Amino acid sequence: MLSVVVAPWAGEAEPVFVRQPDELHDAASTMKVAVLAALVRSGVNLDAEVPVVNRFESVVGGEFGNDPDWDSDPLPWELLGTHVPLRLLAERMITHSSNLATNLCLARTDPRAVAEVWRRAGATRSASPRGIEDYAARDAGVHNRVSARDLVRLLRSIGDVPELLELLERNDFRVDLAAGLPPNTRIAFKNGWFPGVRHSVGLVHPADCPPYLIAVCYTGPLATGEDRTDPAARLLARISAAVWERRDAIGAVTAARRPGAPRERAR
């Protein structure tokens, strides 16, 4: 299953291209954007030092922990038993997609704050009600789900907090959407993956035309779960490259839809 949404960044512009935009996929690590926004919007002190532990409350009761073998970032694991600024954990959650840091950040907010982020974004189908690797919740039917359309809405909704977009530009995993762009092209993005799933949502800043939003969600056998060499990552890169080649048409399509605009087809 492949879902794609492309939209201009400006204003509340509607998408100019969609493919299965409202199909639900397992969120993987794209839900970390919602967690980051919940932290910032709830006013939590990001400079407060918090304990680095690996025990968390399940949303269905009991406790669970993360598996270091399923984490892409070793640094938080090296800090177990110490206290670190919450800001550091929030950064590693985004830049290195740390699962442990994500759950530590979630512990400093709550599912209601994350749900409010999705609601504020205008999401109609997506939700992230549980932590990473909360398998008891998953088995009870509590799932983190996203659609490509809602991911675009989520990224647009944090545009009023520039530091969040700046952090997304520091994503260390320069694959997926980023790999389909010319070198040094600015992109604020978050990807997510595990076997069977590969997603990415980003805000692309071309130097020669207005910025645009793109989200691609893939669920299928090409997703092997490798962080940087996944065949599905190459698929997302090809889609990103194809959109880039048509970047000047994205804004033109929007302009053509305005009342009174000439009915000329954007090329």
Side-chain angles (χ1 to χ4, degrees), residues 185-253:
T185 301
R186 283 182 60 199
I187 177 172
F189 74 113
K190 183 71 190 78
N191 31 20
W193 62 90
F194 60 75
V197 164
R198 192 90 198 188
H199 311 323
S200 193
V201 59
L203 170 61
V204 182
H205 291 271
D208 56 355
C209 63
Y212 63 87
L213 291 156
I214 177 173
V216 183
C217 298
Y218 171 80
T219 300
L222 288 177
T224 61
E226 297 295 326
D227 53 9
R228 301 179 192 270
T229 59
D230 188 340
R234 296 195 293 273
L235 169 64
L236 269 62
R238 290 198 298 273
I239 294 170
S240 179
V243 172
W244 173 265
E245 290 300 317
R246 295 160 177 81
R247 63 193 180 281
D248 59 340
I250 296 173
V253 169

Side-chain angles (χ1 to χ4, degrees), residues 3-254:
S3 301
V4 183
V5 172
V6 179
W9 172 246
E12 298 296 325
E14 290 296 312
V16 299
F17 177 82
V18 297
R19 183 186 193 278
Q20 297 188 343
D22 300 313
E23 292 293 329
L24 286 176
H25 300 255
D26 193 300
S29 289
T30 59
M31 55 85 71
K32 294 170 182 176
V33 179
V35 176
L36 177 67
L39 274 179
V40 172
R41 294 201 184 281
S42 61
V44 174
N45 180 8
L46 293 178
D47 294 316
E49 296 214 341
V50 300
V52 181
V53 297
N54 187 28
R55 298 307 302 171
F56 308 102
E57 292 185 12
S58 169
V59 297
V60 295
E63 292 185 330
F64 71 99
N66 289 118
D67 183 344
D69 291 337
W70 283 100
D71 206 330
S72 57
D73 185 12
L75 178 62
W77 294 94
E78 296 169 3
L79 299 172
L80 275 175
T82 69
H83 286 69
V84 301
L86 183 57
R87 186 181 305 276
L88 171 63
L89 298 172
E91 290 175 353
R92 301 301 289 199
M93 171 176 68
I94 298 299
T95 60
H96 290 72
S97 208
S98 167
N99 290 341
L100 181 60
T102 300
N103 285 336
L104 288 165
C105 288
L106 267 173
R108 296 292 154 171
T109 179
D110 62 65
R112 290 173 297 180
V114 178
E116 174 60 18
V117 165
W118 285 112
R119 187 204 65 77
R120 178 170 177 161
T124 59
R125 307 201 67 197
S126 301
S128 42
R130 65 171 175 83
I132 304 286
E133 297 177 57
D134 185 351
Y135 297 131
R138 182 197 64 184
D139 294 343
V142 181
H143 299 290
N144 293 332
R145 303 286 197 204
V146 295
S147 72
R149 193 193 303 272
D150 284 346
L151 284 174
V152 162
R153 288 167 169 160
L154 176 63
L155 208 56
R156 189 191 296 281
S157 74
I158 65 173
D160 61 332
V161 189
E163 57 264 35
L164 298 189
L165 294 177
E166 291 169 5
L167 180 55
L168 289 167
E169 287 192 35
R170 290 161 46 197
N171 186 344
D172 186 65
F173 291 93
R174 312 301 291 184
V175 291
D176 303 316
L177 298 180
L181 303 174
N184 301 317
T185 301
R186 283 182 60 199
I187 177 172
F189 74 113
K190 183 71 190 78
N191 31 20
W193 62 90
F194 60 75
V197 164
R198 192 90 198 188
H199 311 323
S200 193
V201 59
L203 170 61
V204 182
H205 291 271
D208 56 355
C209 63
Y212 63 87
L213 291 156
I214 177 173
V216 183
C217 298
Y218 171 80
T219 300
L222 288 177
T224 61
E226 297 295 326
D227 53 9
R228 301 179 192 270
T229 59
D230 188 340
R234 296 195 293 273
L235 169 64
L236 269 62
R238 290 198 298 273
I239 294 170
S240 179
V243 172
W244 173 265
E245 290 300 317
R246 295 160 177 81
R247 63 193 180 281
D248 59 340
I250 296 173
V253 169
T254 302

